[in-house]
């Protein structure tokens, strides 16, 4: 809220978002305030900065609950706001498990491109479409490795939470490692690997070996975006920035979107 637009360096691409706490279905029975909440409502502060600096491209990420927060009205507000600023918006739900890491982490990504519906669309979609396994939940209960060999882990981890997983029993934090003498929680390095980070990426320079330090690492990794997903999208945006591609007509555009094939 205190950032002044004129202090932001010039940049063609902005990537960011806004807190998910008021949108996420992980709130359980608690009411989701959506964009009315003081945390997720920071979208409006972000949009205000965008309106003053007008970057060519804005990439936004948030949880899948953004689609149905306040019965979908919040998502509509975001689309209306970005289009009112002159951006064409393409969006897609991308799951990390299909980008090379064994973690089911569905997230909504929006590519907002100034005055170019075609580049927004082509950044988010391709004509090849996307693979989706027939039984997505099977990977959560199918263990890897040979019988009798430990440790054992499921083929696919549940979505990592921004906690250590010690005190909760939700889908978002219940992936455990089975050892010959019991089970244990994931280590910070295992968390990093499931997000596509190099080992010890979150290890502080002055490391103190205690639960407090590890908790901070779990929080940072659980709040992060999966590296392979963002890398995929970033490469596509980069390749389109200086492209001279002309705008597609309606039929050409629909050929890129799998649902319309």
């Amino acid at each position: 809220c205190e950032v002044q637009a004129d202090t932001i360096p010039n940049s063609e691409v902005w990537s960011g978002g806004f807190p998910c706490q008021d949108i996420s279905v992980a709130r359980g029975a608690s009411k989701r305030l959506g964009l009315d909440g003081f945390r997720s409502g920071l979208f409006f502060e972000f949009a205000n900065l965008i309106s003053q600096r007008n970057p060519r491209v804005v990439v936004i990420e948030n949880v899948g609950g953004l689609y149905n927060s306040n019965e979908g009205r919040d998502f509509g507000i975001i689309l209306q706001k970005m289009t009112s600023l002159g951006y064409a918006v393409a969006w897609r739900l991308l799951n990390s498990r299909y980008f090379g890491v064994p973690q089911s982490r569905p997230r909504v990504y929006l590519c907002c491109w100034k005055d170019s519906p075609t580049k927004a669309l082509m950044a988010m979609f391709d004509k090849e479409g996307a693979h989706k396994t027939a039984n997505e939940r099977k990977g959560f209960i199918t263990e890897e490795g040979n019988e009798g060999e430990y440790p054992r882990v499921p083929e696919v981890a549940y979505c990592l939470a921004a906690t250590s997983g010690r005190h909760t029993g939700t889908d978002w934090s219940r992936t455990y490692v089975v050892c010959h003498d019991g089970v244990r929680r994931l280590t910070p390095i295992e968390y990093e690997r499931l997000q596509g980070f190099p080992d010890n990426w979150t290890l502080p320079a002055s490391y103190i070996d205690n639960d407090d330090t590890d908790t901070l690492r779990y929080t940072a990794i659980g709040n992060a975006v999966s590296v392979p997903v963002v890398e995929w999208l970033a490469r596509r945006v980069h390749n389109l920035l200086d492209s001279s591609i002309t705008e597609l007509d309606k039929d050409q555009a629909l050929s890129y979107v799998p649902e319309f094939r």
Side-chain angles (χ1 to χ4, degrees), residues 14-253:
W14 285 16
S15 64
F18 45 97
C20 70
Q21 287 93 333
D22 299 313
I23 292 170
S24 175
V25 295
R27 295 184 63 83
S30 302
K31 178 177 173 56
R32 289 193 290 163
L33 297 175
L35 296 183
D36 293 330
F38 74 93
R39 291 168 295 191
S40 296
L42 287 173
F43 163 73
F44 298 108
E45 298 291 339
F46 188 33
N48 181 52
L49 294 172
I50 293 169
S51 70
Q52 295 181 66
R53 297 306 301 268
N54 289 305
R56 287 179 63 190
V57 185
V58 179
V59 176
I60 299 173
E61 177 266 356
N62 216 294
V63 295
L66 182 61
Y67 281 146
N68 55 31
S69 175
N70 281 325
E71 299 181 339
R73 289 188 293 273
D74 287 337
F75 193 65
I77 288 171
I78 292 170
L79 297 182
Q80 290 173 347
K81 182 62 178 177
M82 296 308 297
T83 54
S84 73
L85 297 177
Y87 290 89
V89 185
W91 63 91
R92 192 173 183 182
L93 188 72
L94 301 175
N95 194 325
S96 302
R97 69 185 293 180
Y98 300 119
F99 288 82
V101 291
Q103 177 200 176
S104 181
R105 190 180 187 86
R107 291 293 186 268
V108 178
Y109 288 83
L110 298 91
C111 181
C112 312
W113 209 297
K114 196 76 170 182
D115 301 321
S116 182
T118 291
K119 289 188 176 181
L121 176 70
M122 294 182 72
M124 293 303 306
F125 294 92
D126 54 47
K127 291 186 177 182
E128 286 73 24
H131 166 77
K132 184 176 181 180
T133 185
N135 186 345
E136 289 191 309
R137 295 195 65 82
K138 186 178 179 181
F140 299 134
I141 58 174
T142 303
E143 292 185 344
E144 287 192 333
N146 298 320
E147 189 71 29
E149 292 183 356
Y150 295 95
R152 299 180 67 84
V153 294
E155 291 180 349
V156 181
Y158 287 98
C159 183
L160 299 182
T163 68
S164 65
R166 285 177 292 171
H167 308 301
T168 57
T170 64
D171 277 4
W172 295 270
S173 56
R174 69 184 189 190
T175 296
Y176 295 97
V177 178
V178 181
C179 303
H180 70 279
D181 56 351
V183 297
R184 64 170 174 81
R185 58 177 169 149
L186 295 166
T187 65
I189 285 181
E190 289 165 341
Y191 247 54
E192 289 169 336
R193 291 172 178 173
L194 288 172
Q195 282 283 57
F197 287 104
D199 287 1
N200 290 320
W201 182 260
T202 61
L203 188 67
S206 300
Y207 178 66
I208 300 175
D209 187 11
N210 60 32
D211 274 348
D212 289 337
T213 302
D214 281 351
T215 295
L216 292 173
R217 296 180 68 187
Y218 286 121
T219 300
I221 302 163
N223 277 327
V225 292
S226 297
V227 175
V229 181
V230 181
E231 185 177 43
W232 175 85
L233 182 53
R235 288 184 186 277
R236 299 178 70 82
V237 170
H238 178 267
N239 291 338
L240 287 164
L241 275 174
D242 296 323
S243 171
S244 58
I245 292 173
T246 57
E247 293 300 307
L248 301 174
D249 62 31
K250 181 179 178 181
D251 289 337
Q252 290 173 319

